Amino acid sequence: EIRSAVKKVAWGFFLIYIHFNLGTFDILPDWAGYALMVSALSVIALEEESAKLIKPFGTILVVWNVIEWVLNIFGLQMYLNYVSLIPSAINLYFTFQLFTNLAGIAEKYSCPQSKRILLLRTINVIFTVTNTILLYLGIITEGGEVYTVLTVAILAVGVVIMLAILITLFSLAASLEQKEQEAAALQQASESTDGIIAPENTEDAQQ
């Protein structure tokens, strides 16, 4: 069901954003987050057909992050220079389209998060592109090492965006659950009404 799919996406972003390391071992790996999102796409595609287009890209992100995760366990890193921009670009397209699909679902079910998701989609694109450019120019440092005021500002903005995305997606899942409950209550009330009317119609027919 769509509510469960949206909740999977929300938890997927949680795993990508939150890191808990034991030495070089990441207990909450990014690949698990992408895998959760990919597993939700089949259900999302029932509501938003274009979601099928990003499933291969999500799979690529899972594989890429599994490789990085395994290498990090052994204290290794991939030094591919500008080649690493490819998964960054894939991630940007993947999240952009996913946000678009989630906004479409929110609008379809009359959930209040639709416009907020579209706004966060735009903000996320601007932030990701800016952050990537600054990293490759060496203006800010990678790995959370803080040397400049700009780096601190970027980190702070990133945290705010991360929290906004998580809160919005989990609230969308809650709204969809409420819509499901309302629909179920209406159906139950309709069935109860039909059960009351039916005997009256039968009695009229006998007269």
Side-chain angles (χ1 to χ4, degrees):
E1 59 186 12
I2 191 62
R3 171 181 58 83
S4 297
V6 171
K7 191 170 286 188
K8 281 184 178 181
V9 172
W11 280 113
F13 276 107
F14 177 85
L15 291 174
I16 291 170
Y17 289 145
I18 306 300
H19 295 278
F20 188 76
N21 297 328
L22 290 176
T24 58
F25 182 74
D26 187 0
I27 296 177
L28 304 174
D30 290 359
W31 62 261
Y34 286 114
L36 265 178
M37 293 183 189
V38 170
S39 70
L41 289 178
S42 296
V43 175
I44 292 175
L46 296 176
E47 303 285 346
E48 293 281 317
E49 192 174 355
S50 59
K52 292 187 295 186
L53 301 174
I54 61 174
K55 195 167 186 176
F57 296 101
T59 304
I60 291 172
L61 292 171
V62 172
V63 174
W64 178 271
N65 282 277
V66 165
I67 294 171
E68 281 195 330
W69 182 70
V70 172
L71 289 176
N72 285 335
I73 291 175
F74 296 101
L76 303 173
Q77 289 184 338
M78 289 190 290
Y79 295 100
L80 299 176
N81 295 324
Y82 294 104
V83 176
S84 59
L85 285 174
I86 296 174
S88 296
I90 292 174
N91 177 63
L92 191 63
Y93 169 67
F94 179 81
T95 53
F96 181 90
Q97 185 59 47
L98 185 56
F99 280 135
T100 302
N101 294 138
L102 292 175
I105 289 170
E107 185 175 3
K108 181 177 181 179
Y109 285 88
S110 301
C111 296
Q113 293 84 6
S114 178
K115 291 183 179 179
R116 199 185 318 161
I117 292 173
L118 291 176
L119 177 61
L120 287 171
R121 179 192 67 180
T122 303
I123 292 173
N124 184 65
V125 169
I126 295 172
F127 176 80
T128 302
V129 171
T130 303
N131 192 51
T132 301
I133 292 172
L134 292 177
L135 277 172
Y136 275 88
L137 291 177
I139 297 175
I140 61 175
T141 57
E142 194 171 16
E145 299 175 355
V146 180
Y147 293 117
T148 65
V149 174
L150 179 59
T151 303
V152 176
I154 291 288
L155 288 172
V157 171
V159 170
V160 171
I161 294 173
M162 172 194 74
L163 291 174
I165 288 173
L166 292 177
I167 291 170
T168 300
L169 294 183
F170 279 112
S171 68
L172 174 58
S175 294
L176 289 170
E177 183 176 11
Q178 184 179 358
K179 296 293 182 181
E180 288 177 4
Q181 291 173 350
E182 290 174 356
L186 285 173
Q187 184 177 0
Q188 186 176 6
S190 176
E191 290 174 354
S192 299
T193 303
D194 291 342
I196 294 171
I197 295 175
E200 293 180 354
N201 290 340
T202 303
E203 186 177 341
D204 291 341
Q206 288 176 349
Q207 291 177 354

